[in-house]
Amino acid sequence: MGKKEEKKTKKQEIKAASKRPIRWDKLDNTALIFPVIAGEGMTNTYRISVELNEEIKPALLQEALDIVLPKFNVFNVRLRMGVFWYFFEENNKPAPRVTEEELFPCRYIQPNKNNSYLFHVSYYKKRINLEVFHVLTDGMGGMTFMKELIYQYLRLAHPEIRAQVSDKLSDTTSLNTEDSFEKNYKKGFKRGYETAKAYLIKLKKLPKGEFGVMHGLINIPELKVVTKKYGVSINEYLVAVFAWATYVQCLHKEPSKKPIRIAVPVNLRPYFNSNTTKNFFTMVSAEFHPTEKEYTFEDVLAIIQKSLKSQITKENLEELFSATVSNQKNKFLRMVPLVIKNLVMRFVYNRSALAHTTTITNVGFVKLDPIYEPYVKMFRSFIAMSKGQSLKGTVNSYQDTLVFTFSSIFSDTSVQKEFFRKIAEDGVTVQIETNGVYYE
């Protein structure tokens, strides 16, 4: 096809697209809060990064994004404000521009400077970064999009891959956009999330605008030996180590009037047979309340394990998210104008925001299609700060390496150091990397 014919075909496609009705969609139950509380000070974004074994070619990364974005309805939208609720509307603008990373991560995504999109793609040397406003999807949905972006980029960069596979999406990739909250909730549940105040970490902060990132690269086979010895899961162990580090470094092993309470997001898809690319998670609370004597690490681990096991059941998870969906579906509340809803939701959020010391989220084990694995070295993820939580943890695993990432606005790194020190003392190899704000 010649250039004239190609131009003509492109114009015909744009003309045809402009004639069809614009697609729109509701926000899922979890997403409703994010537009209300998001801003420069609390961005509600998360980052997924992939490190390749080669330098990134920006033009090819942009081309890959241009190809992949139209296939994902969850990402190919803009946020609109209605009379009663926010809603998504199909975004027919060009994909957002891929940029070289220059600023601190997890900044507020300004739609008017991003072709109205609610995510951003950047690169630095061998690394590709995907930053997502949580209103679109959770970590699982973000990872699905990221994997397809990587696949497409590698096909463009390596003719030997393209000779073996086409540009179609992987067979394991879901494009499902159902609201799994609404589909699976049960009526009659009233109990919601924890609101009692937790112990909050208060340490010296970084200069305003700076954002600290510390990655701990942990050997998975060695970690499994340790968790087997303790008789716990990897997640239970990591959450307990964080509680221990806070107890040692912040409370100095003294009793506390308030508990160390850790929010742990749980991916609901396996429990409810869902493959949605929208948000579908709920929070449980791992709690350790040091009230009397000095506790050993084994004491803390047993308390955290019991706390998590009692909550991570299908019945309890169903009760947690069903309570919030029921509120959303209340006929009276549905008719309240959005301006008033925003005031109420902000008030409710502010009441519950101080109920957790931190959040530790596990994005899970990343499995790639085998043909792409030789080109990919590592995955890392982390989340932005929120009210009362100036230090958070995120877990990512790929091949034999688990990466535990601390994101923080504290200049004091005593909790992070204690966390990794304890893991190393248990006989696990840990390699530390940071984004540079802690260098003197």
Side-chain angles (χ1 to χ4, degrees):
M1 185 186 291
K3 284 189 177 180
K4 283 187 178 179
E5 288 83 358
E6 193 175 334
K7 228 174 190 179
K8 189 177 177 183
T9 305
K10 197 74 178 172
K11 283 182 179 178
Q12 287 172 343
E13 288 175 0
I14 294 170
K15 193 175 179 181
S18 65
K19 286 183 177 179
R20 64 177 173 78
I22 294 176
R23 174 177 53 83
W24 73 277
D25 199 3
K26 296 188 298 181
L27 275 64
D28 62 71
N29 181 257
T30 293
L32 292 171
I33 189 64
F34 294 121
V36 179
I37 61 174
E40 294 288 352
M42 190 163 61
T43 65
N44 289 282
T45 60
Y46 62 85
R47 171 182 284 201
I48 297 172
S49 294
V50 61
E51 183 182 353
L52 303 184
N53 292 315
E54 60 195 50
E55 294 279 329
I56 304 301
K57 297 175 182 175
L60 292 187
L61 182 57
Q62 183 68 62
E63 187 179 350
L65 180 59
D66 293 342
I67 293 170
V68 170
L69 178 57
K71 300 175 183 179
F72 281 82
N73 288 345
V74 164
F75 281 80
N76 193 23
V77 293
R78 66 176 78 189
L79 186 65
R80 293 295 201 188
M81 187 174 181
V83 177
F84 299 107
W85 294 107
Y86 288 98
F87 66 95
F88 291 127
E89 182 181 86
E90 182 179 2
N91 191 349
N92 288 315
K93 292 182 181 179
R97 295 297 87 193
V98 169
T99 60
E100 184 172 13
E101 183 178 17
E102 295 177 337
L103 303 172
F104 287 103
C106 288
R107 298 174 70 88
Y108 181 62
I109 297 173
Q110 297 181 327
N112 61 336
K113 295 182 180 179
N114 197 47
N115 284 355
S116 301
Y117 288 99
L118 303 169
F119 72 94
H120 180 240
V121 176
S122 63
Y123 66 94
Y124 180 73
K125 294 184 178 179
K126 299 180 180 182
R127 189 177 71 233
I128 299 172
N129 310 308
L130 170 67
E131 293 195 353
V132 182
F133 183 24
H134 223 315
V135 72
L136 291 180
T137 183
D138 54 23
M140 291 296 294
M143 186 60 76
T144 298
F145 184 80
M146 180 60 141
K147 284 165 66 174
E148 286 297 343
L149 181 61
I150 297 164
Y151 292 167
Q152 184 62 61
Y153 173 82
L154 289 172
R155 287 195 294 268
L156 292 172
H158 294 276
E160 68 274 18
I161 298 179
R162 204 162 193 178
Q164 298 179 64
V165 291
S166 69
D167 280 347
K168 70 172 188 172
L169 299 178
S170 169
D171 292 339
T172 60
T173 294
S174 169
L175 294 179
N176 187 301
T177 59
E178 73 172 18
D179 185 339
S180 290
F181 288 111
E182 190 165 327
K183 179 182 177 182
N184 292 286
Y185 94 102
K186 296 289 187 295
K187 294 180 182 179
F189 289 119
K190 301 296 182 186
R191 182 174 67 90
Y193 292 115
E194 182 66 63
T195 56
K197 289 185 178 180
Y199 171 78
L200 301 182
I201 299 172
K202 294 179 181 178
L203 298 169
K204 185 179 178 181
K205 291 188 176 181
L206 292 163
K208 190 175 181 180
E210 291 192 5
F211 188 96
V213 179
M214 184 179 292
H215 307 289
L217 280 58
I218 300 171
N219 181 278
I220 292 177
E222 292 175 0
L223 183 61
K224 285 182 175 178
V225 171
V226 170
T227 55
K228 185 177 180 182
K229 179 188 74 174
Y230 283 123
V232 296
S233 70
I234 287 176
N235 226 38
E236 289 165 350
Y237 174 78
L238 294 173
V239 173
V241 174
F242 184 95
W244 172 257
T246 306
Y247 174 58
V248 171
Q249 290 297 326
C250 300
L251 294 176
H252 308 291
K253 296 187 177 181
E254 294 293 328
S256 170
K257 291 180 180 179
K258 295 174 184 175
I260 297 170
R261 190 180 295 122
I262 301 168
V264 180
V266 178
N267 174 25
L268 295 170
R269 292 169 182 82
Y271 296 91
F272 297 93
N273 194 29
S274 169
N275 63 350
T276 185
T277 49
K278 286 189 174 185
N279 286 296
F280 194 39
F281 70 97
T282 195
M283 295 278 195
V284 299
S285 300
E287 183 172 314
F288 163 55
H289 194 174
T291 54
E292 299 174 6
K293 61 181 178 67
E294 183 177 316
Y295 296 79
T296 65
F297 174 70
E298 286 76 7
D299 294 333
V300 176
L301 184 56
I303 292 166
I304 291 294
Q305 182 185 42
K306 184 179 179 182
S307 179
L308 286 174
K309 276 194 169 180
S310 66
Q311 295 176 76
I312 303 179
T313 65
K314 183 177 180 180
E315 293 73 25
N316 184 62
L317 298 172
E318 185 176 71
E319 183 174 349
L320 285 172
F321 76 78
S322 290
T324 57
V325 176
S326 295
N327 291 335
Q328 177 199 341
K329 296 182 81 66
N330 181 290
K331 288 182 180 179
F332 170 73
L333 291 176
R334 287 172 71 179
M335 297 308 293
V336 174
L338 182 57
V339 176
I340 298 174
K341 278 196 186 90
N342 284 350
L343 293 173
V344 174
M345 286 193 285
R346 197 173 289 118
F347 171 77
V348 172
Y349 172 79
N350 286 334
R351 267 191 64 203
S352 61
L354 305 182
H356 291 97
T357 308
T358 189
T359 298
I360 295 179
T361 182
N362 193 333
V363 180
F365 186 85
V366 183
K367 186 169 176 57
L368 300 179
D369 290 353
I371 194 171
Y372 304 101
E373 285 184 347
Y375 303 87
V376 178
K377 182 179 179 181
M378 190 85 63
F379 282 86
R380 299 172 179 84
S381 302
F382 51 90
I383 50 182
M385 301 302 95
S386 56
K387 186 172 182 177
Q389 298 184 35
S390 299
L391 174 66
K392 294 188 177 185
T394 308
V395 183
N396 235 141
S397 303
Y398 176 66
Q399 294 183 339
D400 281 341
T401 303
L402 179 148
V403 182
F404 191 104
T405 300
F406 283 104
S407 45
S408 175
I409 55 172
F410 291 134
S411 60
D412 186 318
T413 59
S414 55
V415 174
Q416 294 98 306
K417 288 176 180 176
E418 184 65 39
F419 179 91
F420 292 124
R421 186 185 300 122
K422 173 57 187 166
I423 294 173
E425 282 176 0
D426 276 341
V428 182
T429 302
V430 182
Q431 180 184 340
I432 307 296
E433 297 176 354
T434 80
N435 68 334
V437 297
Y438 303 121
Y439 297 160
E440 295 182 357

